[in-house]
Amino acid sequence: MYQEVILDHYKHPHGRGLRPGDAEVHHVNPTCGDEITLRVKYDGSRIEDVSYEGQGCSISQASASVLNDLLVGKDLAEAQKIQEVFLELMQSKGKLEPDDAMEEVLEDAVAFAGVSKYPARVKCALLSWMAWKDATAQALGAGTDAERKTA
Amino acid sequence: MYQEVILDHYKHPHGRGLRPGDAEVHHVNPTCGDEITLRVKYDGSRIEDVSYEGQGCSISQASASVLNDLLVGKDLAEAQKIQEVFLELMQSKGKLEPDDAMEEVLEDAVAFAGVSKYPARVKCALLSWMAWKDATAQALGAGTDAERKTA
Amino acid sequence: MTALPGLLDTETLRKDFPILERALHDGKKLVYLDNAATSQTPRQVIDVLSEYYEQHNANVHRGVHVLAEEATALYEGARDKVAEFINAPSRDEVIFTKNASESLNLVANMLGWADEPYRVDHETEIVITEMEHHSNIVPWQLLSQRTGAKLKWFGLTDDGRLDLSNIDEVITEKTKIVSFVLVSNILGTHNPVEAIVRRAQEVGALVLVDASQAAPHMPLDVQALQADFVAFTGHKMCGPTGIGVLWGRQELLEDLPPFLGGGEMIETVSMHSSTYAPAPHKFEAGTPPVAQAVGLGAAVDYLTAIGMDKIAQHEHAITEYAVKRLLEVPDLRIIGPGTAEDRGAAISFTLGDIHPHDVGQVLDEQGIAVRVGHHCARPVCLRYGIPATTRASFYLYSTPGEIDALVDGLEHVRNFFG
Amino acid sequence: MTALPGLLDTETLRKDFPILERALHDGKKLVYLDNAATSQTPRQVIDVLSEYYEQHNANVHRGVHVLAEEATALYEGARDKVAEFINAPSRDEVIFTKNASESLNLVANMLGWADEPYRVDHETEIVITEMEHHSNIVPWQLLSQRTGAKLKWFGLTDDGRLDLSNIDEVITEKTKIVSFVLVSNILGTHNPVEAIVRRAQEVGALVLVDASQAAPHMPLDVQALQADFVAFTGHKMCGPTGIGVLWGRQELLEDLPPFLGGGEMIETVSMHSSTYAPAPHKFEAGTPPVAQAVGLGAAVDYLTAIGMDKIAQHEHAITEYAVKRLLEVPDLRIIGPGTAEDRGAAISFTLGDIHPHDVGQVLDEQGIAVRVGHHCARPVCLRYGIPATTRASFYLYSTPGEIDALVDGLEHVRNFFG
Ligand SMILES: Cc1ncc(COP(=O)(O)O)c(C=O)c1O
Ligand SMILES: Cc1ncc(COP(=O)(O)O)c(C=O)c1O
């Protein structure tokens, strides 16, 4: 599961650090103590920045870095599409072989395919993505997705 | 376990019915619903009467009849001795073969030896004896033995 | 051998149950008619239990190692199976407990500690029935004593059915919860859910159905029942001891407070305060009965492979035959519905004035296992003015031949004490 | 192979545990170092479980038939075994629960509903420690929220021991209950019972000892402990899942109110009120985990045959060796006592800034099962400013060779993330 790409993002995370944003959330993975504080900044429906601070394993850290790469600069609708495809991949229990179309959407994030075989680690990979979804709902006041409490 | 003696006492119980007494208790076997109301009448330390009313299986009914036979007219100390020997027999899990000495003390009650093999029925056989002990403690204000609540 | 329509192939099926081969008292064959107390366990379930301990045992939910992931997958897989078995809208609505009693207590305690609109307090009322198992009486008595809520109940008709004639007075605007048994373990009565649910919904009361004697014996569809909670227990449905289920509607499980606190049920803990995991984990404190849940999953597979509708049909045929044969025994009085209509496969009776304890003992000497006593439903005995009953209860492996053996045994009992 | 004094004959003994033969990830041999989470199950226990279901299965306490009497004798026999194992003055002081968490919640709830002098209310205080398992924190937080009682705790010293320097301020005349862990599951610390019990007795507070990590590993004598309650869990001591124990002093069990209501725990029930059976039954509502209690009895037999003192000696030798070898690994920091004195066989550590999840995963790839995370003791992680730890924990079948494998594995982890 430890693809070169993942280790790279872990050792050299992209966009790490907290910068001003429209909303901030704090998410925890209760089973292992991974934590992330994440802020989103929107310019209309365009994602201007996703900044974060956190502690956790290589998977959760690398995943946040990949998220930053993939989502910053995108329009919300497109970002949601990416998030959904990533979620699908992570919930595939190792049974999904990413095809070209998926690789086009997920870029580096396809490296996480192997993680989906390990249920305990799927939560790590999804931590930042769930936090982003939640922060987005708060920032845009949209929808009913903020069911996870933030501290 | 159904010795002739037991069936006889069951079909023709001795001393059944409630007569005046110094104390009355009501005991229940919660697992099966056997019930007994029992009164003792003392003349000093001599047992003048043990009267009872109840519903229950052949074992509990026969045991009350045998108790009446054995204890009425006896002195308290002697009755307690009998009660202890009966208790010992009933708790023997079928491993005690009553000897002559025991037969002398327990008379008809040795027929209950077979019952001691059946844990669920031991409670039936002991119901009236426990009630007698409790009633005696109440009548004579003696001791700390009245731990079972009476209704 | 009597041939009845709708019977299962018990000859084949009984081979799955090692205990049915047991000989008792110098070679008498076991005739097991105490299925309402607990069912026997098929080889398929016993093997799954052994395999769990031999191959996959680990604590669940917390590990990254292979065994922990396997154990977690097996445990959560059992939840999926149970959810499907009862047609739950979501697997997260299935809570594993240790038995039906814990499930019932769990609901009582949730409501006692809940916020409005669920909170049971001294201004509110709880409704049960006179035919409940003690496990669906005592938790409500405790809740009533501890909160001041008023405990009310439906009485019984002479033929062993719920008396719903005063339903509008029993269930009122003050009622917060109505808890009742789907199939009575003592009377066998199958209760009319719809009428009760309709009235409960009218006044906004929650409904808890005790399906302990239903889940093992018939198709159970929690959505069709329209209840809010359904409780049942593993050991009566070919599963192991030590496992029970509470199903509850998701919104309720989200809103209601936890009961037992500890590992597994938390989201994050500090010394000053804690937050809780989402349901079902919120209600599963500590290391769950992992192997037992897995065993229950195997039991569900076993029952499903045979088919719950076929099992219900089999038991109905057996019950019909048993009612007919039992009523041939002189002095025998059935306590509960006197026909096989709307009734489960447990039949209670008295036999003249021979005490049930004696009936049971003499039957046992012939290898026939029945239950005697008040069957944890003493109010029913009080209601019918009897100290206890003898109860014969059947399951998927019961045969007409076993009914015949019971009837012969009862004749012997009558002669013995006659 | 390293030879250490005091080791058990693990070569023979490991043959009792089928799972230790398992090969993982293309033939790697399982190195199971997650015993503080759950222990593995010997053949002797697995067989007793199968035999129970194949030969003796019935509901307990209610039947006059052979199977019911056998099942009852087995279940109550297990109570005798457990009572002897912990040197309980009376078998009636042993309550079977589903796990240690239920045992701990049971005490919290007894005290919340008790009359004076035991009642916990808004004028009283509860004392725990910062090294408790969540199962000994959350029940007290819930009780505190629900009664208004104040929750206090002992802090920890830098080397992972209880800071009792302010014991007279923490335990006061207002304290009703002091609940603490005998051996910590995360730090391994073995706590000084005597000092705490003495102070608690001075102020008339009750003492509950969480012996979940002690009962499996050393002789446990509840009389010597002088506590009022002792809780532990079956699955950590070679027993099945789904079974726990609460031992309590008889007078207390008589005085304190029941918790769960239902079948088995009653004396007599009417619709209007009920009375309760004497302990232990008062606290065992519903069909108990019968097979699991019997399995725990078999586990107790297994451990006793080996000898709890010998097991303690073995684990001490293993722990001493493990501490020494682990401290040779660069960047490895033990969280908890840095020697084998007064500590159990669970060792938590961090490895530079490599996250425990990654440590555990890479070890798993080599067949080595350790636990990573906060081990249901998150306040300890907060106290030492770390997100989580890696924990290796040993048992009677652990070998020096497995410690060596762990140390080699950790070197591999360092290289991988280096
Ligand atoms: C110290 C301690 N207390 C309590 C528990 C809870 O035990 P269980 O999960 O079996 O309820 C555990 C184990 O998980 C433990 O290590
Ligand atoms: C109708 C009913 N409800 C509840 C129960 C309680 O189940 P358990 O003893 O498994 O908790 C039983 C069985 O004993 C039952 O028959």
Side-chain angles (χ1 to χ4, degrees), chain D residues 176-404:
Chain D
K176 286 282 178 171
I177 175 86
V178 182
S179 185
F180 67 97
V181 73
L182 185 46
V183 177
S184 156
N185 69 306
I186 177 166
L187 297 168
T189 317
H190 188 155
N191 286 317
V193 179
E194 230 186 288
I196 301 174
V197 166
R198 202 182 315 119
R199 175 61 186 158
Q201 285 178 348
E202 238 170 64
V203 301
L206 297 176
V207 172
L208 165 54
V209 171
D210 175 1
S212 301
Q213 298 289 346
H217 302 291
M218 63 182 69
L220 185 66
D221 180 334
V222 296
Q223 299 189 52
L225 280 183
Q226 292 206 48
D228 298 291
F229 302 100
V230 175
F232 53 99
T233 197
H235 65 90
K236 295 191 203 281
M237 49 191 288
C238 295
T241 59
I243 184 79
V245 173
L246 179 69
W247 170 84
R249 279 202 296 113
Q250 188 136 26
E251 317 88 84
L252 292 173
L253 298 185
E254 269 165 28
D255 287 354
L256 290 167
F259 173 39
L260 302 180
E264 305 282 354
M265 58 71 77
I266 54 93
E267 183 179 64
T268 181
V269 173
S270 76
M271 293 308 286
H272 293 278
S273 71
S274 302
T275 57
Y276 308 118
H281 304 293
K282 179 163 78 172
F283 302 104
E284 296 183 351
T287 304
V290 184
Q292 293 72 44
V294 174
L296 178 58
V300 161
D301 284 345
Y302 182 79
L303 295 173
T304 306
I306 294 172
M308 289 311 295
D309 45 351
K310 294 228 176 79
I311 291 172
Q313 209 175 17
H314 173 84
E315 292 186 19
H316 184 73
I318 289 285
T319 304
E320 202 159 42
Y321 181 67
V323 168
K324 176 173 138 278
R325 292 283 341 254
L326 284 173
L327 290 176
E328 290 165 20
V329 178
D331 304 329
L332 188 146
R333 172 184 162 211
I334 289 182
I335 308 297
T339 71
E341 296 326 300
D342 287 333
R343 67 138 50 244
I347 307 182
S348 275
F349 55 86
T350 57
L351 189 64
D353 55 7
I354 307 173
H355 192 278
H357 252 195
D358 292 317
V359 177
Q361 191 87 47
V362 174
L363 288 177
D364 175 62
E365 284 168 8
Q366 299 162 75
I368 303 168
V370 295
R371 183 119 318 200
V372 299
H374 51 48
H375 314 289
C376 295
R378 188 164 171 274
V380 169
C381 293
L382 294 177
R383 163 66 177 83
Y384 295 106
I386 47 176
T389 77
T390 303
R391 181 185 70 189
S393 54
F394 317 116
Y395 205 12
L396 69 167
Y397 38 66
S398 301
T399 67
E402 291 182 316
I403 309 289
D404 295 338

Side-chain angles (χ1 to χ4, degrees), chain A residues 1-2 7 10-11 28-35 55-59 118 120-121 124, chain D residues 25 353-355 357-359 361-362 364-365 372-374 378 382 386-388 416-418:
Chain A
M1 73 189 263
Y2 291 107
L7 289 177
Y10 170 52
K11 289 177 189 162
V28 183
N29 179 346
T31 42
C32 63
D34 284 355
E35 297 190 18
Q55 50 186 11
C57 63
S58 57
I59 303 299
Y118 300 87
R121 306 307 295 277
C124 309
Chain D
H25 304 303
D353 55 7
I354 307 173
H355 192 278
H357 252 195
D358 292 317
V359 177
Q361 191 87 47
V362 174
D364 175 62
E365 284 168 8
V372 299
H374 51 48
R378 188 164 171 274
L382 294 177
I386 47 176
F416 192 83
F417 290 103

Side-chain angles (χ1 to χ4, degrees), chain C residues 187-378:
Chain C
L187 296 168
T189 318
H190 188 154
N191 286 318
V193 179
E194 230 187 287
I196 301 174
V197 167
R198 202 182 317 119
R199 175 62 186 156
Q201 286 178 346
E202 237 171 66
V203 301
L206 296 176
V207 172
L208 164 55
V209 170
D210 176 0
S212 301
Q213 298 289 346
H217 302 291
M218 63 183 70
L220 185 67
D221 180 334
V222 296
Q223 299 189 54
L225 280 182
Q226 291 205 49
D228 298 291
F229 302 100
V230 175
F232 53 99
T233 198
H235 66 91
K236 293 190 205 280
M237 49 190 287
C238 295
T241 60
I243 185 81
V245 173
L246 178 70
W247 169 83
R249 279 201 296 114
Q250 187 136 25
E251 318 86 82
L252 292 173
L253 299 185
E254 269 164 28
D255 288 354
L256 290 167
F259 173 37
L260 303 180
E264 303 283 352
M265 56 73 76
I266 54 92
E267 183 179 65
T268 181
V269 173
S270 76
M271 294 307 287
H272 293 278
S273 72
S274 302
T275 56
Y276 308 118
H281 304 294
K282 179 161 81 172
F283 302 103
E284 295 183 353
T287 304
V290 184
Q292 292 73 42
V294 175
L296 178 58
V300 161
D301 283 346
Y302 182 80
L303 295 173
T304 306
I306 295 171
M308 289 310 296
D309 46 350
K310 295 228 177 80
I311 291 172
Q313 208 175 19
H314 173 83
E315 292 184 21
H316 184 73
I318 289 285
T319 304
E320 202 159 42
Y321 181 66
V323 168
K324 175 173 138 280
R325 292 283 342 252
L326 285 172
L327 289 176
E328 291 165 21
V329 178
D331 303 329
L332 188 146
R333 172 184 162 211
I334 289 182
I335 309 296
T339 70
E341 296 326 302
D342 288 332
R343 70 139 48 243
I347 307 181
S348 274
F349 55 85
T350 56
L351 189 63
D353 55 7
I354 308 174
H355 193 277
H357 251 194
D358 293 317
V359 176
Q361 193 86 47
V362 174
L363 287 177
D364 174 63
E365 284 167 8
Q366 298 162 76
I368 303 168
V370 296
R371 182 117 318 199
V372 299
H374 50 48
H375 314 289
C376 294
R378 187 165 171 274

